[in-house]
Every structure is written in C-alpha cells, then in structure tokens.
Amino acid sequence: MNYARIVGTGSYLPARVLENSELEQMVDTTDQWIRERTGIERRHIAAEGETTCDLAESAARHAIEAAGIEANDIDLIIVATTTADCVFPSVACLLQQRLKITNASPAFDVQAVCAGFVYALGIANTFIKAGSARNVLVVGAETFSRILNWKDRNTCVLFGDGAGAVVVQASETPGIHSTHLHADGRYAELLHVPQGISRGYTEMQEQGAFVEMRGSEVFRTAVTKLSEVVDEALLANNLDKSEIDWLVPHQANLRIIKATARKLSMTLDKVVVTVQDHGNTSAASIPLALDVAVRDGRIKAGEKLLLEGFGGGFTWGGALITL
Ligand code: ACO
C-alpha cells in the first residue's frame, strides 16, 4: 500500500449565476472584453449566508459517495481555501463536524490561493506514502466573491465561488505519481489582499479586504512558471508529453490555459476547460474541472492527467496522476 490514488470526485456550485451582461451594469466593462481577454462567460456566486464550508460539505459528500466509503473512514481532511468561514477553527474542522466524523483524525486548512488544491494533494500523497493516513478527503473550496471589490473591473469580472473534492486512498497501484510544489514570496504584491487580521482588524472592517492584482504581470509569470512545472512533472516521471491523456489546469484565463496546452502540444479537446462557466474559483477550480470531466465521461479510469495551478504568493505546482 505504498501509493495514493484518487478514488472519488465531487463538486458543488452555488445556485446563483452571474452573467457577464450583469457585470456590464456594475462596472465599466463589456461581455466582449471579458470573453476575449479571459474566456469567462459567467460564474456562480454564493448566496448571502452561504459559506465556504457549506460549499465544501456538498462537494465532499459527492466525493465520499463516489469513493464508496463512509465518512468515518476518512482519517485526514485537508481543505485548500483562501476564504475560510472564520479566523478559526479551520474549514477542515468545521467540515469534519458537518460530516459527523468522530474518529479524532487530523483536519487542517492549506492556504496557497489558486495553487492550494495541488498543495493539498501533495500533502495527502505524502501522508499516505508515509503510512499516516489511508483515506484522505482533499477539498478546494472558495467564496472569493467575499474578497472582491465589486467596483474594481480589473478583478471583479475574473472570479467565482465553488468547491471541488476528491478522496485519496492508499493503493497497491500508482495513482499520484508525483507532485511539484513551488512558491516565490518576492512576487507577493503583484496579487494579494493586503489587509488582514494582524495588520489591523478595525481597518480591515472599515476599509474591507479585497483582491488587488497587477494582471498583465501575473499573466506573464503564470505562463512561464506553469510551463516550467509541466516540464518538471514530465521529467520526474520520464514521460513524453504525448503520454499525457488530459491536462486539468487551474481555470484563471483561457489564454493561460491555451499557452500551457501549446507547450504540451495538446489540442484543446484534451484540456478540461470550465473557465467559461465557473470563472476563477481559486483553490476550487482544479477539483471542480476534474469532477466535471469525470462525471461527463470524458476522463476515464486509467488515464494519465497533468494537473497544474498558479496563484497568489506566488505559489504554483503540478501533479501527475493516473486516475
Ligand atoms: N473591462 C474592460 N476593460 C478592462 C477591464 C474590464 N473588466 N479590466 C481591465 N481593463 C482595461 C485596463 O484598465 C487596461 O486599460 P488601459 O490600457 O486603458 O490601461 C486594458 O483593459 C488592458 O489591461 P491589461 O491588464 O493589459 O489586459 P490583459 O490583456 O493583461 O488582461 C487580465 C487582463 C484578464 C486580468 C489578464 O492580465 C489576466 O488574466 N491576468 C492573470 C490573472 C490570473 O491568472 N490570476 C491567477 C491567479 S488568481 C489567484 O491566485 C487568486
């Protein structure tokens, strides 16, 4: 049982859909600009009072059901999120309670923004390979709408809310072949929410805490780093790019996705693209895209997938897996 394998996927999107045309009424933008620059057509937005844990719970229940296990079989919960319900406890602990898991197994959140899911998958892989866990629930869940300045056209058109989840299980056959995690804090100010608890709670309450981004610089670095991590994953597994069946990328911008696909000489029909319907759901975007393509029958058991993500920090990473 030296390997870790994804044995179930699930996802959840809030009911409310916000179309580009509605954003035209809110900020100085057009549907055409958003589509051409990003590929985004619509995104889901959590209802008032609907929290990241609510989204995570629904996605997790679907993944647990797909895995054919009981919630109490889970012996580790990792939630990747930037938009936790509260300062503490973690979403993972709240989720453990919601799922009525009473086995006292560990639960914690990972904060690596849009690369969070790949980070969480890497941690799950390490726990399982070390023999420290057998059934890990890995969730990416976000209510990014809560940290958007809805008057800032540079950012508010890009993001959406949602959750995706996987159950990673100890296995005799390889599933997760490798994960490759990176960060470079020197880029922190290109993409950040500069306010926070420790910098002054009162100021944060008064001014709000919103995403700020230098979009074109983020874009350029994302393309470079994702291209590097793709090479790194192929090299680590001694694989040729032609051996990858599916690219499941972070869904931030269709132009970034296309650049990575070009690097892999992949046509878009081998790339899972959900950005048009979900926008950028940060840590949720990769498991959401994965679940969509598993459930609609595109991705099949036994196929080789390359997952990659890039986000604030900067953080980025890739995972090469056989489903
Ligand atoms: N509608 C209309 N015009 C706009 C909008 C908008 N919503 N937003 C910006 N513009 C304007 C700008 O003001 C600028 O105008 P100017 O030339 O008069 O100054 C013009 O459009 C061009 O702006 P650029 O930033 O150069 O446009 P670009 O082609 O780079 O596209 C975008 C912007 C979509 C943000 C792109 O840079 C991008 O996707 N960046 C990466 C975002 C990303 O990948 N984030 C990933 C991680 S997210 C996370 O971790 C939380």
Side-chain angles (χ1 to χ4, degrees):
M1 291 288 197
N2 276 336
Y3 299 106
R5 193 172 193 121
I6 293 177
V7 294
T9 66
S11 61
Y12 177 78
L13 288 158
R16 163 84 165 108
V17 176
L18 181 67
E19 299 283 346
N20 286 352
S21 55
E22 292 175 76
L23 285 163
E24 289 179 349
Q25 316 303 315
M26 296 160 67
V27 286
D28 181 14
T29 192
T30 61
D31 172 47
Q32 191 190 353
W33 190 97
I34 302 169
R35 281 175 195 249
E36 284 177 5
R37 300 293 180 112
T38 72
I40 300 167
E41 297 171 23
R42 61 192 63 81
R43 70 289 290 142
H44 292 248
I45 302 292
E48 207 181 316
E50 192 175 30
T51 68
T52 293
C53 191
D54 294 329
L55 275 48
E57 181 185 354
S58 296
R61 288 191 186 282
H62 290 138
I64 291 166
E65 193 188 344
I69 61 166
E70 299 296 322
N72 254 297
D73 296 332
I74 290 164
D75 51 10
L76 172 62
I77 301 176
I78 311 173
V79 177
T81 189
T82 316
T83 48
D85 293 35
C86 45
V87 176
F88 68 83
S90 64
V91 176
C93 284
L94 300 177
L95 181 60
Q96 190 195 49
Q97 184 231 346
R98 296 272 190 98
L99 296 173
K100 299 190 171 49
I101 297 174
T102 52
N103 57 17
S105 55
F108 56 87
D109 289 357
V110 168
Q111 217 288 41
V113 205
C114 301
F117 180 76
V118 177
Y119 267 59
L121 200 63
I123 297 165
N125 188 35
T126 304
F127 265 76
I128 288 179
K129 282 165 82 175
S132 304
R134 291 182 56 82
N135 285 299
V136 186
L137 176 63
V138 180
V139 185
E142 300 277 18
T143 46
F144 236 70
S145 61
R146 310 295 195 229
I147 53 167
L148 294 177
N149 176 355
W150 288 98
K151 293 187 176 126
D152 177 13
R153 68 176 184 175
N154 291 298
T155 51
C156 77
V157 303
L158 301 175
F159 297 93
D161 300 335
V166 298
V167 172
V168 185
Q169 194 168 67
S171 164
E172 280 165 5
T173 50
I176 300 173
H177 299 283
S178 65
T179 59
H180 308 272
L181 311 180
H182 298 283
D184 192 337
R186 288 173 298 177
Y187 293 103
E189 287 177 9
L190 294 187
L191 174 57
H192 61 162
V193 176
Q195 300 81 14
I197 302 298
S198 182
R199 285 187 179 172
Y201 190 55
T202 312
E203 284 86 342
M204 190 175 83
Q205 281 186 311
E206 282 168 3
Q207 294 159 19
F210 303 123
V211 176
E212 293 176 12
M213 179 171 71
R214 303 224 300 259
S216 53
E217 285 154 278
V218 175
F219 188 99
R220 277 198 300 276
T221 316
V223 170
T224 308
K225 298 299 179 195
L226 290 172
S227 163
E228 286 170 12
V229 90
V230 161
D231 280 341
E232 188 184 348
L234 291 173
L235 190 67
N237 293 283
N238 198 20
L239 282 177
D240 184 77
K241 54 191 178 185
S242 62
E243 294 174 86
I244 303 298
D245 295 304
W246 290 97
L247 176 65
V248 188
H250 172 48
Q251 311 283 322
N253 185 313
L254 187 58
R255 292 186 291 143
I256 298 177
I257 294 172
K258 282 181 173 168
T260 314
R262 259 197 308 278
K263 168 90 190 167
L264 285 163
S265 309
M266 272 180 143
T267 49
L268 266 194
D269 60 333
K270 285 292 173 191
V271 182
V272 182
V273 181
T274 56
V275 70
Q276 71 283 358
D277 295 324
H278 301 169
N280 180 350
T281 57
S282 187
S285 95
I286 295 173
L288 250 167
L290 177 64
D291 186 53
V292 166
V294 166
R295 282 178 194 263
D296 70 19
R298 267 180 291 171
I299 297 183
K300 296 183 180 58
E303 290 188 313
K304 273 203 174 50
L305 321 181
L306 187 50
L307 280 44
E308 46 87 339
F310 180 90
F314 287 148
T315 52
W316 66 99
L320 209 144
I321 68 175
T322 297
L323 199 70

